[in-house]
Amino acid sequence: MLRSFRFSLLLLILIGVQHSFAQSNAMTVDIEWNQPVLKGSIAVTHGAIKELHIVKGKGKVKGNTFEIAAHKGLRIRVKLENAHLDPGPEPTVVSIKTAENPFSFFARDVNKNYPVYIPGYKVVVLPGADNRSYRDVELEILLRKTETKVQHINNEKETSFESAAKLTRNMSAPIWLGVSRDMRVFELTENMPDAPLGEANIISPKLSSSPLQLGAVKNGNVNYLYILGRGVGVRNQVHRRLEEGVLPIFHSTLEDDDMQYNSTAFVTLEKSPIRNQKGTDFLVADQHSAGHMFTEKQLEQLKTRTPAALNTTEETVLIFRSTIINKGSVPRYAWFKIPRPGTAWWMKSKYTFDGKNGFSVYDSGRVFCVSRLNGKPLPNEEMALLLLPDEKAVIEFFLPHSPVSHDRAAALAALNYDQKFQETKSFWLEKLQRAARIEVPEKRINEMIQAGLLHLDLITFGNEPDGTLAPNIGVYSPIGTESSPIIQFYASIGKLDLAKRCLNYFLDKQHDDGFIQNFGGYMVETGAALWTMGEYFRYTRDVDWVRSIKDKLIKSCNYLIEWRNKNKKPELRGRGYGMIDGKVADPEDHFHQFMLNGYACLGLSRVAEILKDADAAEAKRLRVEADAWKEDIRQSFFTAMAISPVVPLGDGTWCPTVPPWTEAEGLRAFYQKKEIFWSHGTFTAPDALLGPLYLVFCEVLDPAEPASGNLLSYYSELFYLGNTAFSQPYYSRHNWLQARLGMVKPFLNTYYHTVSAHADRETYTFWEHMFRASPHKTHEEAWFLMETRWMLYMEHGDTLSLFRTIPRKWLEDGKAISLNGVRSYFGKLNVEATSHITKGLIEATVSGEFSTKPRTVTVRLPHPEGKAPVKVTGGMYDKNTEAIIVNEFTGEAKIMVQF
C-alpha cells in the first residue's frame, strides 16, 4: 500500500508539473485594426496556434485564415501553445499576413503597459485579457507625450561641434607625412594628451601601409624613437596643429615647465624640389597596402614593375626642427634625444653616432639620420643644454626613408631648412589653389575641408603626370565602396582629372570576366565602382571617355547580370530571387545582402544612363535589366519586412524592421538564431552598417516612401548613440537620407557627433574605428567631406538645393558662405551668401557654368534666431524649409531676404 501511495503521489506531481509547463508556454494575444475590412492569415514560428477566433466584427475563420468586416474596428484573438517566451534564440514569432501592411511580432514582447501600436498600419497587439480598443490605446500613448530620439533632437537646440565635443570621445591620432603619389610615407606618433602614453615619440617609415623592413634591424620593422623634454611626467602638455591649419606640415608645442619645444616636421625629396616627385607605380603601391588582391596576370606584371619602382635614386626625407626657448626668468636646462632605432629604451640595434658630423649610422655603413644643433653637427645623440631666459636653441634632423651613403648624408647635412620648408609649403598650397574653393564661417570645418583634400591626396598613389592612381583608404588598398567618396569629392572640388585617374584603377584591375575585386574578398566592388563612374560622368558629361571604356563597362555589367541570373530560382521567390549573394565587408556573411544588391543595381542603372549617347541599344538593354533587378529587390525587401519582428520606439509606437539579407528572419541583432557574430567593437554592424538602409541610398527605395521612414526610425532608436552609428559610423548612410529629407537638426546632430569623436581635433586625421583601429582613414574623412558637400549643395532630378542643412549660426551677422567653382551634376557652381542680420537682411547670389541648367534652385537662408522673413525677392519663400524657391532658373539668381 505504501509503495502504491508513493507511485500515485509521484504521478500527480508529474501531471501537475506537465500542466504547469503547458500553462507557462501558452499565451493569448488580441490583434485589433482600426479599419472596416480585412482578410489574411496567421503564421507562427517556434510555437503553434491552438485557437483563432473573431472578437470584434463579423466574418469567418478557417484554420489559420480569417476574413472580417466591422464598422468600428476589427479584432481577432489568437491562442498560442508551445510558445517560446523566455529570453534567448528561437523565440515565438507571430506573423500577420495581409495583402497590405503585413507584420510580425515576438510573442514575448506583447505587454499591457507597452502594447504593440503601429499607427502606420492602424493596428495594436494586446494581451488577451486587455479589452482596450485601438482608439483607447492610441489616446493613452499620445497622452504619455514621450519622444523618439529624433523627435527629441528636433525639440532641442541645433547641435554644434562644441556641444557635441563635450559628450564624445576625443581621439588623437598619429599623423602621416609624405609627398603625395609616392608610397614612401612616414607615420609620426607623439605622446598625445588622451592616448595611452609610450615612453618616446616614434617615427615609422612605411611603404604605403607596410612597415619598412631592413637587414640592419634583423629584417624587422623599422621604427625610430626620439625625445624632447625631461620625460614622461604627471602632465602631458603637448599641443599639435597643421601648418596654416590645413597643410601636411606638422607642428607641435611641448610645455615642460619653463622650457618650450616648438617643433615642425615635413617630408620632401632628398635632392629635387618636391614638385618634381614622380610617384610610385599604382600596382606596386597596391602590393604594399593591406588587403590587396591580384589576378595571376597582375602578379606577372608586378614582377617587372616592382624592381623599377623600388630601386629609386632619391629618397623621401623627413625633416624635423625643434626650436627650444627658455620662457622662465632664470637659466634652465633643456633635454633631447635625436632618433635611434626602436620604440623603447631596451630595444637594441647595432648602430653608432658620429659627433663629428652628426651622422647616425647602421653597422652596414648606411646613414639613417643626420642631426644639427644651431646649424652645426650635433656632438652627442642625447643632450642637455643650459639656456638663459629667452635664449633659444635649434635642433634639426634629416631622416631619409631608407638609409643612404655617407656622400648622400653629407648632402643632407648641407640642406637649407628654410628653403625646403618654403618649397614644401608652396607645393601643398598650389594643390589647394588648383581646387575649387569652399568657405564657411566655422574655422574648424573650413580647415577640415582643405586639410581633408590634402589627406586624400597624400595617399593617392601612382606615377605622375598622368598614370593610373590608387585611391587608398588609409592602410588599405582601394575598395570600390570605400574609395567612392574619395573619388566623388575629388570631382566635387574640381579635381576631375584626379578622379578619372582613380577610376582607371578599377578599370585597369578589372578581371577578364568583368568582375571587379581588389580587397579582402569583398564582392560588392563591381557595382560600387560602376556607380562612381556614373557619378563622374554626371560631373563631366564626358562622352568620349565613356566611348573609350565602353567595352569594360559592358563586361562588368554582363558579369553582374549573369551572376543575378544564377539566382533566378523559383524557391527564392520573395527571398532573394534574382539577387546576387556574397559578402560586402570583413564579416564572412555570404548571403543575398541588400547592400550588395543595392550597389549592383545602382551600378547597372548608372551605366545605362551614361551609355545613352555612346551606345543607345546597350543603354536600353541595361535599363531594362536594372529596373527588373530593382523590382526583385523590392519584392524581397517587403517580404523580409513582413516577417521581421517590429520594435518599440521612444514615442510609444512600434516600427517594422528589415534584416540585412533575405535569408534572415529578422534583425541579426535580435539573435533569433543560435549564433555569435559580434565583431569590430559592436553587435550592430550587420544591421546598422551593412543593412537595408543602403537601398534608399542606392535608389531602390524612394526617400519619401513609408518604408524608408521606417528604416530611419528604428535605426535611430536601436543602432545610434548621439544619432551616430557604432564603431565605424561613416558606413551608415542615414545622414545622406537626413540631408535629402531636409532634416536639419538630426543631420547636424549626426554630423557633429561623428566628426568630433572620429577625427583628431588638432590635426584632423580620422581613425577607421571608434576603438582607435587604423589611422589616416581617408574613407571616413571623405564621407565627412561629402556630408559637408550635401549640407552645402545637393542635387535631385532637375533641382539643385543649396544650404539645405547648414547651421543657423553660419548666417549670424557679418558671416558669409562661399562656393567658388565647385562641381555639381549641372556644371560649375558659384554661390555667395552674406548676412547683414543687424540690418534685417540676408543676400545670396547663384551663378555658374552649366552644362545643363537646373530647372529649380532652392536656397535655404535661415534666420539665426528662427525669425520669419517679412519680404523676399528673387523667389518664393517656403516657410516649412526656410528656403527660397527659384523656378525656371535662368542661370543666375539674386535673392534678398528681409526680416
Side-chain angles (χ1 to χ4, degrees), residues 568-760:
K568 289 181 177 179
K569 300 174 182 177
E571 63 269 24
L572 292 177
R573 284 286 179 190
R575 300 298 297 270
Y577 179 86
M579 293 174 62
I580 60 178
D581 56 323
K583 75 172 197 170
V584 296
D586 293 346
E588 296 295 332
D589 297 325
H590 294 266
F591 302 110
H592 294 88
Q593 299 207 44
F594 289 116
M595 177 184 174
L596 174 66
N597 283 270
Y599 268 126
C601 183
L602 181 62
L604 211 65
S605 178
R606 283 293 188 275
V607 176
E609 178 183 316
I610 67 179
L611 285 180
K612 282 181 181 178
D613 293 328
D615 192 327
E618 277 296 321
K620 184 177 180 180
R621 178 180 74 93
L622 295 177
R623 172 54 57 205
V624 170
E625 287 285 351
D627 290 346
W629 199 336
K630 176 179 176 179
E631 184 55 35
D632 286 338
I633 297 171
R634 286 179 64 89
Q635 286 186 16
S636 289
F637 170 86
F638 285 107
T639 299
M641 187 166 70
I643 65 175
S644 183
V646 296
V647 296
L649 306 181
D651 62 355
T653 65
W654 290 61
C655 182
T657 62
V658 184
W661 45 77
T662 64
E663 289 86 346
E665 302 295 326
L667 298 181
R668 199 177 199 191
F670 284 163
Y671 284 93
Q672 288 174 254
K673 292 172 59 179
K674 292 180 179 179
E675 62 174 341
I676 55 173
F677 61 84
W678 176 90
S679 72
H680 297 74
T682 181
F683 292 104
T684 67
D687 295 302
L689 304 182
L690 311 172
L693 192 60
Y694 271 95
L695 295 183
V696 191
F697 185 70
C698 293
E699 301 173 7
V700 175
L701 298 175
D702 188 277
E705 69 179 290
S708 301
N710 288 337
L711 293 173
L712 193 56
S713 292
Y714 79 79
Y715 267 61
S716 64
E717 293 287 294
L718 290 182
F719 301 137
Y720 299 153
L721 176 65
N723 211 27
T724 298
F726 287 85
S727 182
Q728 197 174 357
Y730 283 105
Y731 248 93
S732 176
R733 293 279 66 81
H734 71 289
N735 222 19
W736 174 86
L737 182 53
Q738 291 180 153
R740 177 73 174 74
L741 296 174
M743 300 170 63
V744 178
K745 287 184 177 180
F747 175 91
L748 293 174
N749 193 267
T750 302
Y751 181 82
Y752 283 119
H753 274 95
T754 310
V755 72
S756 63
H758 227 314
D760 188 306

Side-chain angles (χ1 to χ4, degrees), residues 423-634:
E423 181 185 282
T424 303
K425 181 176 179 178
S426 296
F427 171 78
W428 291 110
L429 283 173
E430 286 170 10
K431 283 182 175 286
L432 289 178
Q433 289 162 2
R434 292 195 295 269
R437 189 77 176 175
I438 298 174
E439 294 185 21
V440 300
E442 184 171 350
K443 182 181 178 183
R444 176 181 298 276
I445 302 303
N446 230 21
E447 290 181 346
M448 292 187 77
I449 294 168
Q450 297 177 71
L453 174 60
L454 297 181
H455 287 164
L456 308 187
D457 187 273
L458 183 75
I459 60 167
T460 295
F461 299 131
N463 289 134
E464 293 288 28
D466 54 9
T468 293
L469 300 178
N472 273 38
I473 47 174
V475 304
Y476 306 114
S477 289
I479 309 176
T481 47
E482 295 204 17
S483 294
S484 63
I486 297 171
I487 299 169
Q488 290 177 39
F489 186 72
Y490 281 154
S492 296
I493 210 73
K495 297 275 190 175
L496 299 174
D497 182 65
L498 201 57
K500 181 165 69 173
R501 291 167 65 191
C502 289
L503 290 174
N504 287 340
Y505 170 91
F506 297 97
L507 294 167
D508 288 356
K509 289 196 68 185
Q510 182 189 52
H511 296 198
D512 289 341
D513 60 4
F515 189 38
I516 296 175
Q517 185 183 52
N518 304 291
F519 182 89
Y522 289 20
M523 302 178 77
V524 69
E525 291 191 65
T526 309
L530 293 176
W531 163 59
T532 301
M533 292 172 201
E535 292 296 288
Y536 171 79
F537 178 78
R538 286 186 169 188
Y539 287 104
T540 64
R541 305 294 169 181
D542 188 347
V543 177
D544 289 339
W545 171 73
V546 174
R547 290 193 178 101
S548 71
I549 63 168
K550 183 186 75 169
D551 292 345
K552 290 195 170 190
L553 293 175
I554 294 172
K555 185 186 290 186
S556 283
C557 289
N558 287 339
Y559 179 88
L560 291 174
I561 292 168
E562 289 172 15
W563 187 2
R564 162 172 146 78
N565 287 339
K566 292 174 184 177
N567 287 274
K568 289 181 177 179
K569 300 174 182 177
E571 63 269 24
L572 292 177
R573 284 286 179 190
R575 300 298 297 270
Y577 179 86
M579 293 174 62
I580 60 178
D581 56 323
K583 75 172 197 170
V584 296
D586 293 346
E588 296 295 332
D589 297 325
H590 294 266
F591 302 110
H592 294 88
Q593 299 207 44
F594 289 116
M595 177 184 174
L596 174 66
N597 283 270
Y599 268 126
C601 183
L602 181 62
L604 211 65
S605 178
R606 283 293 188 275
V607 176
E609 178 183 316
I610 67 179
L611 285 180
K612 282 181 181 178
D613 293 328
D615 192 327
E618 277 296 321
K620 184 177 180 180
R621 178 180 74 93
L622 295 177
R623 172 54 57 205
V624 170
E625 287 285 351
D627 290 346
W629 199 336
K630 176 179 176 179
E631 184 55 35
D632 286 338
I633 297 171
R634 286 179 64 89

Side-chain angles (χ1 to χ4, degrees), residues 69 112 121 135 232 279 306 332 340 343 356 379 407 429 503 523 578 591 620 660 798:
K112 181 178 181 179
Y121 292 3
R135 291 293 190 190
V232 180
T306 300
R332 297 289 189 190
R340 66 102 161 149
T343 58
K356 294 179 181 179
D407 288 344
L429 283 173
L503 290 174
M523 302 178 77
F591 302 110
K620 184 177 180 180
D798 59 5

Side-chain angles (χ1 to χ4, degrees), residues 171-176 187 189 192 206 208-209 289-291 459 472-477 479 482 519 522 586 680 727-731 757-760 764-781:
M171 300 205 302
S172 298
I175 190 167
W176 285 15
E187 180 178 281
T189 306
M192 296 173 287
K206 294 179 178 292
S208 183
S209 61
S289 304
I459 60 167
N472 273 38
I473 47 174
V475 304
Y476 306 114
S477 289
I479 309 176
E482 295 204 17
F519 182 89
Y522 289 20
D586 293 346
H680 297 74
S727 182
Q728 197 174 357
Y730 283 105
Y731 248 93
H758 227 314
D760 188 306
Y764 307 140
T765 298
F766 280 67
W767 288 97
E768 178 179 16
H769 289 283
M770 287 294 180
F771 48 88
R772 279 196 171 90
S774 175
H776 201 90
K777 189 65 189 319
T778 45
H779 161 254
E780 276 62 33
E781 190 158 20

